[in-house]
Amino acid sequence: MKEVVLLTGPPLNGRDEYISEALKKASGGSYAYYHVFDYIREVGKERGVKITRKNVLDFAITHQDLMNEIRDEAFERVRREIDESDREYHLVSTPSLFRWGSGSVIGFTTSNLKLLKPNRVIIILDDVLSVRRRIINDPEWFERFGNDPENIKLTTLVMWREDAINHVKTLVHELKKEGLEVRYILQFGIRHPPEVFLDLLFHEREKPLVYLSYPMTGHEDEYYHRVRGFYSKLSEHFTVLDPGALDDWWVVAEYDAQVNADPSIKRIKIKHLLDGEEVEELDREDIEQATDILRRQLVERDFNLVDVSKAIAVYHYAEGVSAGVISEMAEAYRTLAAIYLYYPFKRRPSPFMEFYGMQNPSRRTMFKDEDEMINAMVEEKEYWAKV
């Protein structure tokens, strides 16, 4: 049986680069990869139109009808190749929706998706400061912003993300009304190891989706080292979704800390999360506007990861109660996911955490040993209620 996976997202989130690097590690997978823009260029050339990465936005906005025809033909060619292929997995990559200037560029319509019939949709996302840095380091894109970093607003970038996600949700809802079921939409952070992405694409049946829940802020390095170690062990058996793989929270935390220290501050200095070296100065007002959207997106994204997962593994190596973790456990309970709680302390947790943490299928218990919890999850995965 053929499976079609739509890989999409907002612009400049590193989608195609991430996919290409991950697929280099794929061994023996029966898959085909379709980069829709390659087909758009091919169709355009046949119609006497040269479409390039640099001119595609302006062309799509100023010649909308022709661009729509070219895009539709590109999807028809992808569909024909899928029909003629003997591969099991078909990965189709294209942007979702992109507003630019006075117009917008639509990566796909309801008709395109009806033709494509995706079984799953994976929205690939990067944190906003990495997107901003990617623009600065890309001469073509940086030129679009007047070669001035001040013109690249975080508010713009979070709205790109918002538009892209909402476009997918709207169209998938339209498909559902017409009887075409998409198994799930998943918001996938680009900091997941490529091996996890390959498990998601090709090994979900053997390694079902598990969400890793843990208190994320205010801890020492040793704590995060333990979390990473647990993540690695859990990933041997499951496809583990990590909320930390898309981390915008540190932007919010840095903003809060610097404003609390100096309420009159106008510029916020933020070290980049990945290298810890490069410092970016951002306008306070821009961060304030972006933060309101980022906070909501963070909650919606984490709930999305919980909702698609068969189980959640709560790694609570902290005695203090985490509102985020409790909320994720409640969401897992609501959506029938199995819940496993690692809590190695003598002090009892909150009654809510205790209640939710004892919802694994065959043993109403919390775990003080992480390996014991992983073994229990492996033994019980056949009995998980969520299909």
Side-chain angles (χ1 to χ4, degrees), residues 5 7 20 116 164 202 226 247 269 294 327:
V5 184
L7 304 168
S20 298
L116 196 62
F202 306 130
R226 288 186 64 106
D247 192 359
K269 296 181 179 180
L294 281 174
S327 299

Side-chain angles (χ1 to χ4, degrees), residues 2-267:
K2 294 178 181 178
E3 179 158 350
V4 177
V5 184
L6 176 62
L7 304 168
T8 188
L12 290 154
N13 274 237
R15 182 187 70 258
D16 285 309
E17 297 89 339
Y18 179 79
I19 295 168
S20 298
E21 286 302 310
L23 290 178
K24 290 177 183 177
K25 298 176 180 288
S27 55
S30 176
Y31 71 88
Y33 176 49
Y34 310 86
H35 187 198
V36 174
F37 184 66
D38 293 339
Y39 292 81
I40 287 174
R41 284 192 300 189
E42 179 183 279
V43 175
K45 185 177 180 181
E46 292 172 7
R47 296 190 178 207
V49 178
K50 183 179 181 180
I51 299 177
T52 66
R53 185 172 179 270
K54 189 167 185 176
N55 73 10
V56 64
L57 291 179
D58 295 328
F59 179 79
I61 291 170
T62 56
H63 299 85
Q64 196 170 67
D65 291 343
L66 178 55
M67 185 64 191
N68 289 344
E69 291 177 12
I70 292 172
R71 183 199 58 231
D72 292 348
E73 174 62 24
F75 272 96
E76 289 174 10
R77 293 187 183 188
V78 169
R79 181 70 250 182
R80 283 199 295 271
E81 289 190 21
I82 292 173
D83 291 339
E84 295 167 0
S85 171
D86 60 355
R87 305 294 175 89
E88 181 178 1
Y89 295 95
H90 298 270
L91 316 176
V92 181
S93 176
T94 192
S96 171
L97 172 70
F98 181 36
R99 302 193 193 282
W100 182 255
S102 60
S104 60
V105 180
I106 296 173
F108 44 83
T109 63
T110 304
S111 297
N112 298 146
L113 293 194
K114 283 175 65 177
L115 182 69
L116 196 62
K117 297 183 178 67
N119 303 92
R120 296 180 279 163
V121 179
I122 300 174
I123 303 172
I124 296 178
L125 302 169
D126 201 358
D127 66 82
V128 289
L129 277 196
S130 290
V131 175
R132 186 174 184 273
R133 179 185 281 196
R134 194 174 286 116
I135 292 171
I136 292 171
N137 292 329
D138 184 319
E140 290 181 4
W141 272 99
F142 198 35
E143 184 181 350
R144 288 182 177 275
F145 284 90
N147 294 312
D148 185 355
E150 291 297 312
N151 294 333
I152 309 171
K153 302 298 185 184
L154 294 192
T155 311
T156 300
L157 306 186
V158 296
M159 287 310 302
W160 282 2
R161 182 192 292 173
E162 189 94 344
D163 289 339
I165 293 171
N166 287 340
H167 183 65
V168 171
K169 288 180 178 178
T170 300
L171 267 57
V172 169
H173 180 69
E174 292 299 314
L175 290 185
K176 188 174 182 179
K177 288 197 296 187
E178 300 199 24
L180 294 173
E181 286 289 340
V182 174
R183 191 144 54 85
Y184 59 68
I185 302 168
L186 192 157
Q187 297 179 35
F188 188 81
I190 206 169
R191 304 302 165 200
H192 280 97
E195 293 80 7
V196 172
F197 182 63
L198 296 178
D199 283 341
L200 173 64
L201 292 178
F202 306 130
H203 306 297
E204 188 189 336
R205 296 186 191 94
E206 314 95 81
K207 300 177 73 173
L209 300 183
V210 169
Y211 177 76
L212 177 61
S213 178
Y214 56 97
M216 292 186 64
T217 57
H219 302 286
E220 302 295 329
D221 288 346
E222 187 265 344
Y223 168 86
Y224 296 108
H225 180 73
R226 288 186 64 106
V227 172
R228 297 265 62 78
F230 181 76
Y231 181 89
S232 296
K233 289 193 288 186
L234 196 61
S235 294
E236 294 176 15
H237 308 281
F238 303 101
T239 303
V240 186
L241 302 175
D242 177 8
L246 180 65
D247 192 359
D248 292 309
W249 186 252
W250 54 280
V251 176
V252 178
E254 278 294 323
Y255 165 82
D256 287 343
Q258 292 179 43
V259 169
N260 287 337
D262 179 6
S264 65
I265 194 170
K266 299 296 184 185
R267 305 283 292 175

